[in-house]
Amino acid sequence: MTHPVEHPTYLRDIRFLFTSKDQACMRARGIDLRTYEGVKLNADRIHFHVREGTMPPPPENRRWPKEQVETFYNWMRDGYPRGVAPQKKLLKAASPAKRIRRNLAEMDPNGPEIAKLRKAFQGIMDRDPDHPQSYFSVAGLHWLPLPDVYCRHHENAYNPWHRMYTIRFEDALRSVPGCEDVTLPYWDVAANEIPKVLSQPPFDKYTIPRKLVALDGRTAVEANTPTERYPDFLILENLHKRYNVPGTIRKALGSSRWEDFNGWSADDPWIGGSPRHSGIIKAHDEGHNSCGPTMSDQDIASFDPIFWFFHSNWERLWWLWQQIYDATTLDNFKTTLVGDASWLTDPVVNGLQPFNTAASDTIDLRALDVDYINPAHEEIPRAVAPLVSGAAAKLGVSVPDTDALLIKVRGVNRLNIKGSFDLILTADDEPIRRLGIFQSSTPQQCDTCRKNNVFVGVFEVDRNEIADRRLAARIEVIDRKGQRSGFPLSQAGEPRIDVSLAMVE
């Protein structure tokens, strides 16, 4: 980097100014130099010490060059802009990880690897349901059966929890004799075809051997109920046309801030305190709702075998994002956070049960002995700054040369909605945008759901598409047969619509 930088940003310039010794020194003094908030809140103190040459302290006494000090001052002068992180090229060298997960579509369906995978799946499906590594037991960790219910959705811990969950399932597969080196392939949901092997035994369905009771006492599933799935053509139509999941994935990968990639975040002041539903969590939820009926029902989604190939892909996409933005270690990952980093290490908030680990221990995937081979022709989108609302814009924003508007459906309370649903934006009663929410049939009994019950649906719309048209919203719920029906908006809190000019930081 050449200093001074006239208009530096945190993600592009400032986060790289501090050495590991600087970080360790200041961490002992209660200042975290690996987070945006830690540097911003202490910027005056940092600037004073680097200008005077007293940071870092003895015995290193390494003074910053005056040009570097000027770069830091320019960042303060400009209002501490976060900016966009530079993208790194993916390494093509051989990975040291022992578990290499591959694209299911690029594997020979009649080859030995798929044959061994079939054996592993069938092996754990055939085990007694009480066996700790049976299909029933491991799938049951996602929600039902009772008494232990783990819901890590719509929060920062979503990706870390599911990363450990896929490893737990993979461990179960590898416990089948002769399958010790099996790894879990991924289904690339952005592709235009679904691998045919997913429609073949034992990947096509699983018969749930026991009656499952929901948190409110209702029968969720009777014993010996097989899982159900839409036909492939309908899954693809949902993924690509109903929701545009590939487009949401591309946008998430082009977001260099963790909260923008992850999606369920309340850190943007223009949202007004409620989390917005976007990013990779939105793509994940809409992917679930695309595959139903079983996959759209959080109570039992993990019993459908497609769930595991589906979730292997979300772990791949998170790891891909980490590699692109140099966030593969805990310290580097923290630099991508907009808000507080305590969720990574707080044992109360993020002791990832039942895995007995912290979210911070899941960041480096290769340290967990797992790595991915990405699709042969996958394109990485260019990193861009997120759109922000003109109504709450700060200094340092610009108006795009488009007619882009941000339409926010605020105040949607999902606790009264039993099961997954779509929030639909309409113009003159015509659906023009939609987003899907994946949730259980008993959100009122779920601690995580109650904590994040009210959200904001954010839609990017060209003003010419809605000019002189009446804007409204409606909700469609998805039942256990995969059928959709209307839900009274009046029973979902007090939703309202805001329209703002879109701006870029």
Side-chain angles (χ1 to χ4, degrees):
M1 187 185 303
T2 301
H3 295 283
V5 179
E6 181 63 25
H7 296 291
T9 66
Y10 174 76
L11 286 172
R12 188 189 63 219
D13 311 292
I14 301 301
R15 63 176 176 148
F16 299 113
L17 297 179
F18 306 104
T19 68
S20 58
K21 290 183 179 180
D22 296 338
Q23 298 155 26
C25 174
M26 291 298 103
R27 190 179 298 120
R29 290 162 173 77
I31 298 175
D32 192 345
L33 295 178
R34 296 307 283 171
T35 66
Y36 171 79
E37 286 297 323
V39 177
K40 177 184 175 183
L41 292 174
N42 294 280
D44 287 335
R45 295 168 62 191
I46 294 170
H47 179 253
F48 172 81
H49 286 293
V50 297
R51 185 189 65 199
E52 299 300 317
T54 55
M55 180 183 136
E60 187 176 355
N61 288 109
R62 177 186 55 82
R63 294 183 66 98
W64 279 20
K66 65 177 184 179
E67 293 83 5
Q68 189 168 312
V69 175
E70 186 176 346
T71 292
F72 192 84
Y73 173 79
N74 291 344
W75 178 65
M76 297 170 59
R77 176 204 63 199
D78 285 353
Y80 318 99
R82 289 190 294 260
V84 176
Q87 292 181 324
K88 295 182 66 176
K89 290 186 177 180
L90 297 184
L91 296 176
K92 300 297 183 181
S95 171
K98 295 178 181 178
R99 307 186 190 199
I100 304 296
R101 297 175 182 165
R102 298 176 55 198
N103 187 354
L104 184 62
E106 296 175 5
M107 300 172 69
D108 182 356
N110 299 311
E113 289 179 302
I114 295 297
K116 189 179 291 187
L117 189 66
R118 291 182 193 274
K119 179 180 179 181
F121 263 79
Q122 194 63 59
I124 63 174
M125 287 177 172
D126 291 342
R127 285 175 173 163
D128 185 279
D130 291 324
H131 190 294
Q133 289 186 305
S134 70
Y135 190 94
F136 180 81
S137 290
V138 181
L141 296 176
H142 193 255
W143 191 260
L144 297 180
L146 303 175
D148 296 320
V149 172
Y150 306 100
C151 178
R152 305 315 295 261
H153 298 89
H154 309 116
E155 61 170 2
N156 279 318
Y158 154 73
N159 278 289
W161 192 91
H162 286 81
R163 177 163 284 179
M164 298 308 299
Y165 190 35
T166 54
I167 290 176
R168 174 69 66 89
F169 183 77
E170 197 171 61
D171 285 344
L173 294 176
R174 292 160 76 96
S175 71
V176 175
C179 302
E180 292 81 5
D181 60 349
V182 159
T183 57
L184 182 63
Y186 62 89
W187 164 38
D188 178 12
V189 299
N192 292 320
E193 293 185 6
I194 299 175
K196 296 300 182 185
V197 70
L198 292 176
S199 300
Q200 302 168 3
F203 311 124
D204 57 338
K205 63 178 178 293
Y206 170 72
T207 299
I208 301 172
R210 292 180 176 171
K211 177 181 177 179
L212 299 179
V213 179
L215 289 177
D216 60 1
R218 293 179 296 109
T219 297
V221 172
E222 296 287 356
N224 299 315
T225 297
T227 58
E228 296 181 74
R229 195 185 304 164
Y230 295 141
D232 286 1
F233 79 88
L234 184 54
I235 293 175
L236 289 172
E237 183 176 306
N238 287 337
L239 287 169
H240 291 266
K241 295 182 179 179
R242 180 185 291 271
Y243 296 115
N244 188 21
V245 170
T248 303
I249 291 173
R250 286 193 298 272
K251 186 172 182 181
L253 289 175
S255 303
S256 60
R257 310 171 191 182
W258 161 250
E259 287 82 359
D260 296 322
F261 168 79
N262 186 51
W264 194 276
S265 168
D267 287 308
D268 286 312
W270 64 273
I271 288 297
S274 297
R276 72 186 187 277
H277 188 44
S278 59
I280 211 69
I281 288 182
K282 176 178 180 288
H284 158 269
D285 282 15
E286 294 174 344
H288 268 284
N289 289 358
S290 294
C291 297
T294 301
M295 276 281 282
S296 62
D297 184 348
Q298 186 179 314
D299 295 7
I300 58 172
S302 55
F303 290 104
D304 187 337
I306 203 173
F307 173 96
W308 302 103
F309 304 93
F310 176 82
H311 262 285
S312 183
N313 188 57
W314 299 116
E315 296 316 304
R316 177 187 74 85
L317 289 170
W318 180 28
W319 181 239
L320 176 61
W321 178 85
Q322 289 181 259
Q323 294 175 83
I324 295 170
Y325 298 109
D326 195 14
T328 58
T329 66
L330 177 60
D331 277 347
N332 286 358
F333 179 77
K334 287 165 68 174
T335 68
T336 69
L337 303 182
V338 173
D340 184 30
S342 62
W343 65 269
L344 282 164
T345 53
D346 188 331
V348 175
V349 175
N350 278 317
L352 301 182
Q353 300 301 328
F355 310 120
N356 298 316
T357 189
S360 57
D361 296 330
T362 70
I363 300 303
D364 189 347
L365 187 61
R366 291 195 182 111
L368 297 172
D369 254 348
V370 179
D371 205 352
Y372 284 89
I373 298 176
N374 293 308
H377 303 292
E378 186 169 50
E379 295 184 1
I380 305 300
R382 182 176 63 87
V384 296
L387 294 177
V388 298
S389 168
K394 302 182 299 181
L395 293 175
V397 295
S398 62
V399 180
D401 186 19
T402 68
D403 288 317
L405 297 174
L406 288 177
I407 299 179
K408 301 179 283 292
V409 182
R410 296 180 180 271
V412 180
N413 188 332
R414 59 195 181 94
L415 292 188
N416 288 334
I417 306 173
K418 296 182 177 180
S420 299
F421 64 95
D422 285 355
L423 175 65
I424 304 170
L425 178 70
T426 65
D428 289 344
D429 297 323
E430 175 193 351
I432 59 172
R433 298 288 188 278
R434 72 172 62 221
L435 58 81
I437 295 283
F438 171 68
Q439 67 174 20
S440 82
S441 65
T442 54
Q444 292 180 334
Q445 282 77 37
C446 169
D447 290 341
T448 304
C449 297
R450 288 198 301 269
K451 181 176 65 177
N452 299 308
N453 60 315
V454 178
F455 73 96
V456 179
V458 182
F459 305 91
E460 296 177 23
V461 178
D462 189 293
R463 70 176 306 277
N464 296 311
E465 188 176 0
I466 61 171
D468 298 322
R469 303 179 74 185
R470 177 181 177 273
L471 292 179
R474 68 172 188 249
I475 291 174
E476 285 182 354
V477 294
I478 307 172
D479 66 20
R480 288 214 159 102
K481 294 297 183 181
Q483 301 298 313
R484 298 170 184 267
S485 59
F487 182 87
L489 204 63
S490 60
Q491 295 182 26
E494 299 180 355
R496 65 184 189 276
I497 291 178
D498 289 352
V499 182
S500 303
L501 178 67
M503 307 183 82
V504 177
E505 182 180 338

